[in-house]
Structures are given as structure tokens and as C-alpha cells.
Amino acid sequence: MMCCLVQVMNAQITEKPEFGKFAITNATIYTVTNGVIENGIVLIDDHIISFAGKNARIPAGYQRIDGTGKHVYPGFIDSMTHLGLIEISAVAVTVDHAEVGDYNPHVLAFTAFNPHSAAIRVTRVSGVTNVISAPASGVISGKSTLIDLWGYSPDDLAVKKSAGIHIEWPSAVRSGGWDSRTNEEIEEEYQEDLSELNDFWARAVFYNRMKNEYESNPSNRIRPDKNLKMESMREVVNNEVPVIISVDREKDILNALEWVSEQSEDLTFIFNGVSEGWRVADELSDAGVPVIVNTLYTPQRPYDNYQRPYQNPGIMAEAGVTILIGSGETENVRNVIYEAGYAAAYGLGREEAIKALTINPAQVWGVADKLGSIEKGKQANLFISDGDPFEPASQVEHVFINGYKIPMTSRQIQLYEEFLDRDAVNK
């Protein structure tokens, strides 16, 4: 019994973060928005970066961190995950990323997010300080949340409780070799699905207009009946949150672009997935639609070159598309860094790959005043590495989230250390 108790205790992470004033000195600082500062200084005052530059006098009371030979980056942002919504996929009661039904705009990932997920600690020690955590089911799956990866409750972690609404675009192409439908059947099903989406969207627009008219002059109108789903769509049709459309194939991307062009010009759209975006890069650029991509997947078509997934972000970026990187993962969100590394090596370039994890998502998600770069006045989300973070051999040595110096440990690190020298107890 005592042995079991010891094992359980070893699996717990009890070290607390540090908070206060920190001075990172003699480091190479990748500000992202203001170039690279050699032998620079970053001062952190509580939650905020108070200085980023050179030759500053460091007042008394700062805990110094020697950054000689080290590299300081803004905290990386993964723009598409299910982190905190799934703990053990085989255990149904720990899976909260999906809801029954096809149209669930009222589902909010924020309300289901588990701030104590073991995967969060695994993620943040790699330098990923923020993620979009999104639901995934049906046609309209609900709204994602943008979170910091430190805090004791969802309210502590939330940067934006409602970050965007997610649509799974109905496909007009064959699913695979096993799909026995005729072309006519595929088109018919697509048109039916699109008609349902259009009908739901039109009702949302009408409901919002009706409520706006009532709220502008309630004394002369009958109060409309409240509809939970339509009420949840109001911030969408009022362009308070963006619309994220998951779509991959060339034909589907073009169909989605046509649909977007038919909607209000005031709305903001983001495409997610776009694995064949390289085929329609110019069209995406002309539409001004940012994209969330990854690189660790196989090509959609058997005759495509195996490098296409790695080249996809670079080809779109060259055409003028704004690139964000999203892993689509839960336990392996930390791999978003290597997704970006592949993109950097296959045409996107290192600088643009870093932007795809920092300032690009900060701007697209509407938090560039807080995140995405190392600048005075911004939230202190950053990390210190001993090398290029895209290189697997590099080690992240310090992570700050909202000014908190995070303990550099996780369940996986603890297990690694536990079993590193298993014979030691027998000697």
C-alpha cells in the first residue's frame, strides 16, 4: 500500500510558478515585430513586459536570468487544438469536444475546458503558451476559446472566451476509394447539405435583425421569443467573432470561397485545414482569407508529390495568404513547433514560420495588443531556448505565461526521470 502511495505522489506536480520582477540579460531577443536584438534585455514586471532592448539599467529587486548564448521568443500560439477538452479519448466521461446534433452554435469550449489537464503541462514546457481550443462535431460545432496555458480555472486562462465559431464545410468530392456514390449522388448530397446550412444562416441573420429592432425600441414592439441557438449566432452575424471553416479539397475550397463571397462584407472568415490550398493559393489570396494549416499529413491524392503537405504553407504565403499553424491535436500540441519547422524548411522560411506561430495568430484572433511579439506593454508570454526551437535537439529552459515563471516539469518529464536509471535501486 505504501509503495502505491509513493507512486501516486511521484506523479503529482506540486511546484508552484514564480511571480514578480524578472530581468533576462545578454540574450538574443526575437521580437518578431521589431527585429532581432543581440545581447538584449527583457524586463518583466508582474504580468507585463516593461522593456525589450539594449543597455537598460536594471533596478534593484529584479531576479536576473542570464541569457548568454540563449534565445528569447514570444510564446508560440497553436491556432487549432482540442487541448483541455479531451483527457483520455477511450474514456467517454473525459471527452467534451463534441456534442450531439449538427447545429450547435451555443456550445462554448470555454465551459468544458479542463485547466488541470495533464496535456497542458506537457505542452507549455515546449514553449507553446497559448492555444485555440475548439469543439468538433456536426456542421456548426460551436465556439472555440483562446487560452493561456497557466491558471487554476477557465476564467484564469481565458484570453478570449469566445474566439470564433466553427463550421465543417460540406464536401462535394468523393471521400475515398471506398466511396461508391455516383457523381450525381455526391452533388445531390452536397446541395442538400449546403441548403440546410444556408437556411440556418438565413434564420440567424433574420433573428439578429429582429432582436436588434426590438432592442432599439422595445416599447413599441412585442418581445421576440428567445431561441438559444439563434441567440448564440448573434455575435457571429454581428462580426464580433470570426467564422472558421474547415475545408480541405480544391473543389470544396472554391465552393467555400464562393459562399463566403455571398455573405456580408462585414464578416470575418478563416479557413482551417486547406490541405489542397496550394492548388488555389491565388484565389485564397484574392479573397483575403487567412488559413490555419499543418504539415504532418499525407497528400490527399495518391499522385501528389509527398512534399506537398510541407510545401503547402509556403506556396500559399508566397501568393499573399496569411498563414497560421494549428496542430489539430490534444496530447501532441507540442508538435505544432515541428509542423512549423517543416513548413520553414520547405518554402515558408524561418521568419514567416515564426510569425505563423506568433504575430499572425495574434492579429487574426484580435489579441495583437497582448500577444504575438516581445514589446513593451504586452503580456509577458515568452520562452528562453538554448537554440532554434524548430530543431528537436534544442531545449526550452524557461517559460513565462502572463508573467508567471512556469515550473519546467510535466508528467512525461517525471516519468522520464523516474525510469532513466531503473537499475539504480537494485545496486
Side-chain angles (χ1 to χ4, degrees), residues 5 22 97 117 145-146 154 164 170 199 209 232 251 259 265 294 339-340 342 373 384 407:
L5 179 61
F22 300 89
H97 76 302
S117 171
T145 183
L146 173 60
D199 179 64
R209 184 170 63 249
S232 298
K251 183 177 180 179
W259 185 80
E265 294 181 357
N294 59 34
E339 302 256 12
Y342 272 103
S373 62
I384 305 172

Side-chain angles (χ1 to χ4, degrees), residues 89-111:
S89 57
V91 181
V93 294
T94 71
V95 178
D96 294 314
H97 76 302
E99 187 57 85
V100 297
D102 289 332
Y103 290 87
N104 296 300
H106 57 295
V107 170
L108 186 59
F110 168 79
T111 62

Side-chain angles (χ1 to χ4, degrees), residues 33-195:
T33 51
N34 294 308
V36 179
I37 303 172
E38 300 288 348
N39 297 316
I41 297 171
V42 177
L43 298 183
I44 298 173
D45 285 319
D46 298 331
H47 301 287
I48 302 299
I49 297 170
S50 61
F51 178 84
K54 301 183 72 170
N55 304 322
R57 186 181 65 85
I58 301 174
Y62 280 77
Q63 179 180 331
R64 293 184 180 234
I65 300 174
D66 184 9
T68 302
K70 311 299 182 184
H71 306 265
V72 184
Y73 293 87
F76 286 163
I77 304 169
D78 188 327
S79 289
M80 188 57 58
T81 79
H82 306 303
L83 187 65
L85 301 179
I86 304 172
E87 197 63 23
I88 303 171
S89 57
V91 181
V93 294
T94 71
V95 178
D96 294 314
H97 76 302
E99 187 57 85
V100 297
D102 289 332
Y103 290 87
N104 296 300
H106 57 295
V107 170
L108 186 59
F110 168 79
T111 62
F113 189 84
N114 174 20
H116 307 294
S117 171
I120 290 177
R121 296 175 175 88
V122 174
T123 300
R124 69 190 182 201
V125 297
S126 67
V128 178
T129 62
N130 296 85
V131 303
I132 288 288
S133 186
S137 63
V139 180
I140 296 182
S141 55
K143 296 170 184 171
S144 56
T145 183
L146 173 60
I147 58 168
D148 287 327
L149 294 187
W150 160 253
Y152 287 104
S153 71
D155 286 297
D156 289 338
L157 278 72
V159 179
K160 293 187 75 171
K161 292 182 180 180
S162 179
I165 196 162
H166 293 257
I167 295 178
E168 185 70 30
W169 187 255
S171 181
V173 299
R174 198 173 303 279
S175 302
W178 51 268
D179 190 342
S180 60
R181 294 177 298 168
T182 65
N183 292 336
E184 291 74 16
E185 288 172 334
I186 293 172
E187 181 63 21
E188 182 179 354
E189 288 186 28
Y190 167 71
Q191 292 298 335
E192 289 177 358
D193 293 340
L194 182 60
S195 178

Side-chain angles (χ1 to χ4, degrees), residues 252-389:
D252 291 335
I253 294 171
L254 293 174
N255 285 339
L257 285 173
E258 180 180 0
W259 185 80
V260 165
S261 70
E262 296 168 351
Q263 309 309 313
S264 169
E265 294 181 357
D266 295 331
L267 298 184
T268 301
F269 293 92
I270 304 166
F271 282 7
N272 173 54
V274 287
S275 57
E276 289 192 347
W278 61 275
R279 296 182 183 274
V280 289
D282 291 335
E283 288 86 345
L284 286 166
S285 178
D286 291 342
V289 177
V291 299
I292 305 167
V293 297
N294 59 34
T295 56
L296 300 182
Y297 60 91
T298 55
Q300 291 281 355
R301 311 185 193 196
Y303 51 81
D304 281 342
N305 190 292
Y306 77 94
Q307 300 177 90
R308 287 306 187 197
Y310 312 139
Q311 296 169 339
N312 188 35
I315 294 172
M316 288 190 288
E318 186 176 3
V321 180
T322 299
I323 304 297
L324 289 67
I325 305 291
S327 66
E329 291 282 355
T330 303
E331 299 89 351
N332 293 314
V333 175
R334 58 189 173 169
N335 287 341
V336 72
I337 298 170
Y338 306 123
E339 302 256 12
Y342 272 103
Y346 282 82
L348 183 59
R350 186 174 180 276
E351 182 177 349
E352 289 301 316
I354 291 174
K355 287 182 179 179
L357 290 174
T358 54
I359 195 63
N360 286 2
Q363 291 173 340
V364 168
W365 300 117
V367 292
D369 59 326
K370 298 179 181 179
L371 305 174
S373 62
I374 298 177
E375 297 181 64
K376 180 180 179 180
K378 286 198 173 184
Q379 184 173 310
N381 282 32
L382 54 87
F383 67 90
I384 305 172
S385 173
D386 65 2
D388 185 338

